[in-house]
């Protein structure tokens, strides 16, 4: 009788243990799901207003980073862009009128943006600048700047060109009035041991970009390297080189899937990555931290995301990330 009772109790306890274990697993799964979902803070609205033109893959990556951080942080994310300074400023005013809880802006044309950023700050909207405008960010009242120092990035390019034995380089600027672009070419010229000249092209017209580079390569066979300031323009430079029958190496600032492929097959020499995904992601995260806990990073100086020189040796490792659009 005692043995039977013990057996019955054992079965009963096993059933309770099994049920309890299942419930515990379900509870743990629910807790894990909560951990992966949005944070338990108000649904703030953050706006990002950039100087991107249509179809610029660099800004697609910035936007993706911002969107993924917004999903994590329970943020209603708004994105607007215009490559003309005055129109970009008008979009910032639109964000101010919407009474957003945070603002992220690029300052490629700071003179056009100064007054409207001041309005945002006066209205109590915390501002973070990204990508361009590190020199003006603090002056304009932003909490911090996230990006690379364009002069330092340019200097890294000049050093790399010198190490590769280049002697005569063409630096292609695709957006006139963009202070960051001027700083890149000036920085490269500063550390490059050879000679470098600037070529201004209309970045909104890719056939014109290719034709302009081709004409320059055709007329000056001494050019042994071309540096473009954005990933989409590297492909145009490669085509121009082929048509002109030039042997110049094509190098570029910024990274995308096409550039990674070009590095792998060696149609491109090197690229300088400033990690745009990180710029978008960290900008949203830092605004959230400021709203939630008054945190600020940088100590009054820019939070640097680059430069990082990428060559064929790195291309395979980056393929996974460029294919999903985060590098």
């Amino acid at each position: 009788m005692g043995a039977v009772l013990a057996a019955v109790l054992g079965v009963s306890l096993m059933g309770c243990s099994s049920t309890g274990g299942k419930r515990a697993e379900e509870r743990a799964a629910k807790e894990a799901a909560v951990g992966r979902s949005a944070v338990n803070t108000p649904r703030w609205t953050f706006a990002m207003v950039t100087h991107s033109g249509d179809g610029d893959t660099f800004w697609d990556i910035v936007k993706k980073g911002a969107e993924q951080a917004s999903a994590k942080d329970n943020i209603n994310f708004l994105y607007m862009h215009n490559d003309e300074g005055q129109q970009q400023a008008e979009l910032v005013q639109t964000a101010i009128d919407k009474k957003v809880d945070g603002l992220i802006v690029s300052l490629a044309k700071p003179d056009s943006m100064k007054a409207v950023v001041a309005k945002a700050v006066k209205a109590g909207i915390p501002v973070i600048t990204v990508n361009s405008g590190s020199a003006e960010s603090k002056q304009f009242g932003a909490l911090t700047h996230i990006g690379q120092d364009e002069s330092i990035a340019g200097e890294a390019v000049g050093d790399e060109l010198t190490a590769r034995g280049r002697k005569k380089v063409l630096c292609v600027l695709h957006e006139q009035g963009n202070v960051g672009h001027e700083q890149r070419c000036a920085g490269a010229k500063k550390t490059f041991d050879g000679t470098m000249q600037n070529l201004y092209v209309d970045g909104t017209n890719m056939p014109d970009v290719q034709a302009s580079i081709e004409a320059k390569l055709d007329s000056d066979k001494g050019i042994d390297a071309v540096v473009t300031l954005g990933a989409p323009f590297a492909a145009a430079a490669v085509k121009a080189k082929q048509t002109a029958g030039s042997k110049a190496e094509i190098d570029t600032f910024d990274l995308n899937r096409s550039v990674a492929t070009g590095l792998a097959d060696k149609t491109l020499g090197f690229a300088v990555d400033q990690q745009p995904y990180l710029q978008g992601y960290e900008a949203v995260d830092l605004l959230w931290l400021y709203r939630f806990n008054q945190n600020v990073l940088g100590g009054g100086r820019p939070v640097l995301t680059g430069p990082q020189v990428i060559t064929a040796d790195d291309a395979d490792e980056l393929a996974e990330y460029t294919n999903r659009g985060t590098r």
Side-chain angles (χ1 to χ4, degrees):
M1 208 43 195
V4 172
L5 180 59
V8 170
L9 287 172
V11 171
S12 176
L13 288 171
M14 286 176 63
C16 290
S17 176
S18 175
T19 303
K22 185 176 181 181
R23 287 174 179 168
E25 289 173 1
E26 290 173 348
R27 184 166 59 251
K30 288 179 180 178
E31 289 172 354
V34 170
R36 289 194 300 268
S37 63
V39 293
N40 187 24
T41 52
R43 187 161 174 78
W44 293 312
T45 295
F46 294 167
M48 175 181 279
V49 184
T50 75
H51 66 277
S52 169
D54 293 332
D56 191 329
T57 55
F58 175 90
W59 287 103
D60 290 341
I61 301 173
V62 176
K63 182 183 176 186
K64 180 168 287 189
E67 288 174 338
Q68 292 188 357
S70 295
K72 174 180 68 71
D73 293 340
N74 193 29
I75 299 300
N76 177 34
F77 178 69
L78 307 176
Y79 181 77
M80 297 175 279
H81 67 94
N82 197 294
D83 57 1
E84 294 294 333
Q86 187 56 46
Q87 281 72 20
Q88 185 191 3
E90 290 173 3
L91 291 175
V92 173
Q93 183 61 56
T94 298
I96 295 172
D97 294 341
K98 290 178 179 291
K99 298 181 178 180
V100 297
D101 301 295
L103 183 62
I104 303 161
V105 297
S106 60
L107 301 177
K109 297 169 183 175
D111 290 343
S112 298
M113 298 290 290
K114 183 176 182 178
V116 75
V117 171
K119 284 184 181 180
V121 173
K122 187 176 181 179
I125 301 172
V127 178
I128 285 180
T129 59
V130 294
N131 180 255
S132 53
S134 60
E136 295 81 10
S137 179
K138 186 176 180 180
Q139 175 191 344
F140 286 10
L143 298 175
T144 193
H145 178 81
I146 303 173
Q148 69 181 4
D149 183 299
E150 302 294 14
S151 295
I152 292 175
E155 290 171 13
V157 168
D159 287 336
E160 184 69 19
L161 290 167
T162 298
R164 287 168 175 263
R166 301 303 161 187
K167 302 298 181 185
K168 192 171 187 179
V169 177
L170 190 66
C171 194
V172 183
L173 298 93
H174 61 267
E175 186 180 336
Q176 292 202 35
N178 186 321
V179 294
H181 289 184
E182 297 287 349
Q183 290 167 350
R184 288 180 179 182
C185 290
K189 188 178 292 186
K190 178 181 176 182
T191 57
F192 179 48
D193 285 348
T195 60
M196 180 175 292
Q197 56 182 305
N198 292 352
L199 175 67
Y200 293 90
V201 298
D202 179 5
T204 64
N205 185 341
M206 203 60 77
D208 177 72
V209 173
Q210 181 179 334
S212 297
I213 297 173
E214 180 184 330
K216 198 68 179 177
L217 291 175
D218 197 43
S219 64
D220 189 348
K221 299 298 184 182
I223 296 173
D224 57 8
V226 176
V227 177
T228 61
L229 302 188
F233 306 96
V238 169
K239 292 178 181 178
K241 165 188 172 177
Q242 294 169 344
T243 306
S246 171
K247 295 182 179 180
E249 177 180 281
I250 308 300
D251 307 305
T252 190
F253 283 81
D254 302 334
L255 186 70
N256 63 10
R257 184 187 303 180
S258 176
V259 168
T261 300
L263 292 171
D265 64 22
K266 298 187 178 180
T267 54
L268 297 178
F270 68 90
V272 179
D273 186 25
Q274 60 175 304
Q275 302 184 100
Y277 177 89
L278 195 58
Q279 292 178 16
Y281 193 98
E282 287 302 314
V284 169
D285 240 13
L286 288 185
L287 274 181
W288 180 86
L289 283 166
Y290 182 79
R291 296 290 316 205
F292 176 68
N293 204 44
Q294 292 285 294
N295 291 124
V296 178
L297 285 182
R301 297 187 178 185
V303 177
L304 299 182
T305 62
Q308 179 184 12
V309 176
I310 306 294
T311 67
D313 294 337
D314 311 298
D316 289 342
E317 292 183 7
L318 291 173
E320 175 187 350
Y321 311 119
T322 56
N323 286 337
R324 74 183 184 192
T326 57
R327 286 296 293 266

